[in-house]
């Protein structure tokens, strides 16, 4: 985590500043600040998920200390779409800040569900916007442009400023045969290009992948083949926000006289929100049934749509795989479709889950077998088309690891974009009439959410957690004579993860003796201080184990007076 550096005073003339707080050199935690002539907007406020070494941490937030230090200039939050890596951090931020939030109807519906769970229901000013709508916020004229993505109601944001127009694409793709929505509004992007675009801040996720993204209609046709061939139950695992895919599956189920069960809390809630807001053309009500009703129908009449495509612990599909699901016992004849990309880092868990499903006799279908998934992010040809339509003076690749952003920058050069900027989280990129440059850095980093607590790595004592995982724990329990200040006997020592059971007794006996000797070496006055006795026990046990085993476990002394 970097230390905050003071930025130069804003120019007296028109200026535009872009400060990413997350989303660069990673896929997730998207959060940016755009500032113009003293007014500030936050674009998206997402989360990411902890790495293996973040023991016990639930989610990770961007560190928005810079925003809190300049709160008097923040005029609102603009949301591009409803994915967790774009809206998941907003409830935590809005617990500290009272500021209006602008976004599409479904995006705000998904956010509002999160706000209610944080005790913020009806306490945040949520302002719905439609594609094509323009709003005046301070010196900005904010315009929302319809795009295709893997969640409905996704929009790019064009900010019209005194220096020119800045476009934030958000996550997007071009689907030329979309289902249930229009295609990306290419004419509007072209018109913006004709008017002149100062800068484009573009999604870089698929910049290394040639061609065009697959249409959702092609995925629909791929699933139609699955329905034709499956002899028994069909179980589809997908992301809970991929609601157009849910709609397509419901349509196919209705055509094939299958009943549908939705499994997974987030999937059910998102589907209900989308249905209530009119974003999903749900089939007749009798298509959907409760899990308890499945036993009334033969297997060939059932479709189960589930969470768990990434083998998340306790997700529906993971519990099915390991025989721990209350309603579904996977068996021979079941066809299980993994309709999602494999997120890097999840390979081990997914492989374990798939192996377990195979052992139960199921047939597994992935994107390698049939056309059952399409990316929500633009590939190379779409990225080049967007750049040719908008013709920005400056390209700033965002949303992606460094190699992805570098790939996007190279595509920009291929189509004639002269000015590309590969900056880092925390950089302040300033635009003025005189030119564009990084003028400094602000505080940025990662805030960890552990249960109900939010803080940095020191707040959660992750160092100790990592030590517990790598070197184990020792607990030493001793009793001190209150009058003499001496231990009545060597402490009882327990350990976990330090030494194997075969040699445990001998090592613990010697460790206890080392602690006894250490306390005996203290002065009479020091032995009268419980904290001194505890420290002597801790130090001497750790020193002995380090010398004998080469390990440095966490040692916890527990001392009582008698």
């Amino acid at each position: 985590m970097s230390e905050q550096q003071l930025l130069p005073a804003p120019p007296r003339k028109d200026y535009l500043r872009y400060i990413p707080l997350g989303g660069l050199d990673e896929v997730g935690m998207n959060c940016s600040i755009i500032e113009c002539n003293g007014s500030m907007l936050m674009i998206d406020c997402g989360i990411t998920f902890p790495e293996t070494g973040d023991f016990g941490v639930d989610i990770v937030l961007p560190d928005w200390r810079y925003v809190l230090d300049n709160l008097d200039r923040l005029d609102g939050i603009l949301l591009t779409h409803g994915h967790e890596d774009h809206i998941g951090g907003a409830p935590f931020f809005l617990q500290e800040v009272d500021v209006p939030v602008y976004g599409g109807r479904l995006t705000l519906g998904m956010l509002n569900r999160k706000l209610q769970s944080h005790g913020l229901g009806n306490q945040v000013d949520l302002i719905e916007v439609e594609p094509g709508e323009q709003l005046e916020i301070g010196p900005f004229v904010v315009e929302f442009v319809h795009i295709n993505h893997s969640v409905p109601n996704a929009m790019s944001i064009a900010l019209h400023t005194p220096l020119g127009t800045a476009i934030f694409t958000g996550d997007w793709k071009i689907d030329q045969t979309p289902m249930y929505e229009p295609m990306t509004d290419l004419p509007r992007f072209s018109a913006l290009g004709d008017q002149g675009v100062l800068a484009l801040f573009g999604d870089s996720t698929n910049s290394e992948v040639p061609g065009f993204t697959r249409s959702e209609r092609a995925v629909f046709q791929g699933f139609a083949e699955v329905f034709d061939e499956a002899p028994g139950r069909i179980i589809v695992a997908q992301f809970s926000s991929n609601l157009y895919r849910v709609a397509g599956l419901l349509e196919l189920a209705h055509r094939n006289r299958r009943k549908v069960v939705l499994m997974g809390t987030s999937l059910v809630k998102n589907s209900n929100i989308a249905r209530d807001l009119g974003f999903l053309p749900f089939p007749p009500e009798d298509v959907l049934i409760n899990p308890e009703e499945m036993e009334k129908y033969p297997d060939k009449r059932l479709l189960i749509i589930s969470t768990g495509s990434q083998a998340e612990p306790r997700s529906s599909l993971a519990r099915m795989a390991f025989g721990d699901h209350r309603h579904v016992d996977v068996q021979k004849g079941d066809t299980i479709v993994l309709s999602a990309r494999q997120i890097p880092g999840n390979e081990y868990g997914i492989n374990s889950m798939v192996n377990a499903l195979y052992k139960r006799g199921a047939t597994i279908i992935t994107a390698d077998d049939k056309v059952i998934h399409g990316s929500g992010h633009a590939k190379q040809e779409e990225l080049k088309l967007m750049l040719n339509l908008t013709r920005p003076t400056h390209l700033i690749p965002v949303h992606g690891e460094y190699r992805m952003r570098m790939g996007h920058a190279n595509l920009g050069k291929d189509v004639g974009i002269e000015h590309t900027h590969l900056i880092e989280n925390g950089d302040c990129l300033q635009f003025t009439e005189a030119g564009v440059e990084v003028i400094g850095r602000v505080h940025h980093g990662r805030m960890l959410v552990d249960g109900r607590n939010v803080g940095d790595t020191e707040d959660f004592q992750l160092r100790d957690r990592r030590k517990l995982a790598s070197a184990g724990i020792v607990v030493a329990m001793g009793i001190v004579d209150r009058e003499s200040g001496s231990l009545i006997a060597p402490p009882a020592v327990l350990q976990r993860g330090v030494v194997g059971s075969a040699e445990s007794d001998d090592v613990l006996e010697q460790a206890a003796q080392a602690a006894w000797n250490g306390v005996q070496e203290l002065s009479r006055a020091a032995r009268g201080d419980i904290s001194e006795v505890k420290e002597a026990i801790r130090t001497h046990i750790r020193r002995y184990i380090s010398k004998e085993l080469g390990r440095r476990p966490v040692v916890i002394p527990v001392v009582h007076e008698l």
Side-chain angles (χ1 to χ4, degrees):
M1 187 178 299
S2 61
E3 293 301 321
Q4 179 169 351
Q5 300 177 16
L6 293 177
L7 299 177
R12 294 184 179 180
K13 296 183 178 180
D14 292 331
Y15 73 93
L16 188 68
R17 287 177 172 177
Y18 168 68
I19 305 171
L21 299 179
L24 276 59
D25 293 350
E26 60 189 334
V27 178
M29 206 173 76
N30 298 282
C31 183
S32 297
I33 300 300
I34 192 81
E35 180 180 335
C36 180
N37 298 349
S39 176
M40 198 160 65
L41 294 173
M42 177 182 286
I43 298 181
D44 288 332
C45 188
I47 64 169
T48 191
F49 292 97
E51 299 173 355
T52 304
D54 293 336
F55 299 101
V57 173
D58 298 318
I59 60 174
V60 183
L61 307 170
D63 190 332
W64 42 64
R65 195 172 314 176
Y66 172 77
V67 185
L68 298 179
D69 290 342
N70 295 274
L71 206 52
D72 58 317
R73 297 191 282 129
L74 181 65
D75 290 332
I77 301 174
L78 311 178
L79 300 178
T80 58
H81 64 282
H83 278 153
E84 287 291 304
D85 60 334
H86 291 260
I87 70 169
F92 297 92
F93 183 74
L94 293 167
Q95 286 178 331
E96 303 182 61
V97 174
D98 182 13
V99 65
V101 182
Y102 302 83
R105 195 153 38 97
L106 177 61
T107 302
L108 294 185
M110 297 170 79
L111 173 63
N112 192 44
R113 176 173 62 84
K114 296 178 180 296
L115 294 174
Q116 291 172 2
S117 67
H118 282 74
L120 294 173
N122 301 318
Q123 296 184 35
V124 178
D125 188 11
L126 302 178
I127 302 174
E128 294 181 1
V129 294
E130 295 292 333
E133 188 172 351
Q134 295 188 10
L135 305 171
E136 290 190 16
I137 306 176
F140 299 97
V141 176
V142 182
E143 177 181 357
F144 293 82
V145 183
H146 169 72
I147 52 174
N148 302 133
H149 187 42
S150 55
V151 62
N153 205 205
M155 292 185 280
S156 294
I157 297 172
L159 300 175
H160 304 282
T161 78
L163 282 171
T165 299
I167 297 176
F168 288 80
T169 67
D171 296 358
W172 69 284
K173 67 176 181 178
I174 298 172
D175 191 334
Q176 298 188 61
T177 56
M179 298 186 66
Y180 316 116
E181 68 170 351
M183 71 176 292
T184 291
D185 193 352
L186 299 181
R188 183 53 191 159
F189 285 111
S190 179
L192 290 170
D194 292 342
Q195 296 165 13
V197 172
L198 173 66
L200 185 137
F201 300 83
D203 172 14
S204 306
T205 308
N206 273 344
S207 68
E208 300 173 297
V209 185
F212 290 85
T213 54
R214 179 178 292 142
S215 171
E216 192 63 28
R217 193 169 298 276
V219 176
F220 181 86
Q221 295 301 326
F223 268 109
E225 294 180 9
V226 174
F227 275 75
D228 289 341
E229 299 169 4
R233 290 183 300 189
I234 300 174
I235 302 172
V236 178
Q238 63 161 71
F239 293 122
S240 64
S241 60
N242 202 334
L243 295 169
Y244 286 143
R245 193 157 302 162
V246 172
L249 289 169
L250 289 171
E251 182 176 332
L252 285 169
H254 183 49
R255 290 184 188 179
N256 288 272
R257 299 179 60 247
R258 286 181 181 258
K259 300 297 184 181
V260 181
V261 179
L262 301 180
M263 288 188 174
T265 302
S266 58
L267 179 64
V268 172
K269 288 183 177 179
N270 286 340
S271 298
N272 287 338
I273 291 170
R275 179 179 58 184
D276 293 343
L277 295 176
F279 281 92
L280 286 190
F282 267 48
E285 287 292 329
D286 63 354
V287 172
L288 286 168
I289 62 173
N290 295 319
E292 293 79 8
E293 299 178 82
M294 287 192 295
E295 61 184 21
K296 299 179 182 178
Y297 302 93
D299 288 352
K300 64 181 180 180
R301 295 280 311 282
L302 291 173
L303 165 67
I304 298 168
I305 308 176
S306 168
T307 57
S309 63
Q310 304 303 304
E312 301 94 326
R314 309 307 301 164
S315 66
S316 293
L317 187 61
R319 284 184 287 145
M320 294 178 203
F322 297 104
D324 189 33
H325 197 280
R326 192 168 47 154
H327 299 291
V328 180
D329 183 19
V330 174
Q331 58 196 8
K332 186 176 181 179
D334 289 341
T335 299
I336 298 178
V337 185
L338 300 181
S339 181
R341 69 184 178 92
Q342 190 174 97
I343 295 176
N346 293 344
E347 295 88 352
Y348 177 81
I350 294 173
N351 290 339
S352 297
M353 179 181 72
V354 168
N355 282 325
L357 291 169
Y358 271 122
K359 288 180 179 179
R360 292 180 171 273
T363 298
I364 313 298
I365 296 177
T366 71
D368 294 331
D369 307 308
K370 284 187 180 295
V371 180
I372 45 80
H373 179 62
S375 175
H377 298 271
K379 295 182 180 179
Q380 287 181 350
E381 297 307 313
E382 294 153 281
L383 294 173
K384 287 189 286 187
L385 179 56
M386 175 65 78
L387 293 172
N388 279 315
L389 289 173
T390 56
R391 303 182 297 283
T393 304
H394 300 272
L395 168 63
I396 300 89
V398 299
H399 196 290
E401 297 174 6
Y402 189 85
R403 73 176 194 278
M404 301 171 183
R405 298 194 294 121
M406 175 65 81
H408 198 177
N410 290 336
L411 292 176
K413 294 176 183 177
D414 290 343
V415 301
I417 307 298
E418 295 184 6
H419 306 290
T420 59
H421 307 272
L422 289 170
I423 65 174
E424 305 295 335
N425 288 325
D427 284 347
C428 179
L429 185 67
Q430 179 171 280
F431 298 78
T432 64
E433 291 183 356
V436 180
E437 62 177 335
V438 174
I439 60 169
R441 290 176 60 78
V442 305
H443 185 100
H444 72 285
R446 301 160 75 84
M447 300 294 288
L448 310 180
V449 179
D450 186 12
R452 296 182 179 179
N453 300 314
V454 179
D456 59 24
T457 55
E458 295 305 316
D459 290 332
F460 295 135
Q461 299 179 342
L462 284 183
R463 291 179 182 175
D464 280 351
R465 295 186 184 182
R466 293 186 180 110
K467 287 178 183 176
L468 288 173
S470 62
I473 183 173
V474 173
V475 179
M477 297 170 287
I479 299 176
V480 171
D481 183 278
R482 185 174 300 173
E483 293 186 4
S484 66
S486 298
L487 284 171
I488 293 176
V493 181
L494 305 174
Q495 65 88 25
R496 289 292 184 273
V498 179
V499 63
S501 58
E503 53 189 339
S504 175
D505 291 345
D506 185 56
V507 169
L508 296 184
E509 183 178 338
Q510 295 300 320
Q513 188 61 47
W516 167 273
N517 295 337
V519 173
Q520 293 302 108
E521 293 171 2
L522 294 175
S523 67
R524 176 66 180 83
R527 290 199 303 272
D529 185 340
I530 289 292
S531 63
E532 291 284 345
V533 174
K534 288 182 177 180
E535 182 60 22
I537 292 173
R538 189 192 71 81
T539 300
H540 284 78
I541 288 179
R542 195 171 184 204
R543 187 178 298 163
Y544 169 78
I545 293 176
S546 177
K547 179 180 178 181
E548 294 298 318
L549 303 178
R551 310 193 71 175
R552 298 177 66 83
V554 175
V555 179
I556 301 177
V558 180
V559 178
H560 298 282
E561 289 184 314
L562 184 64

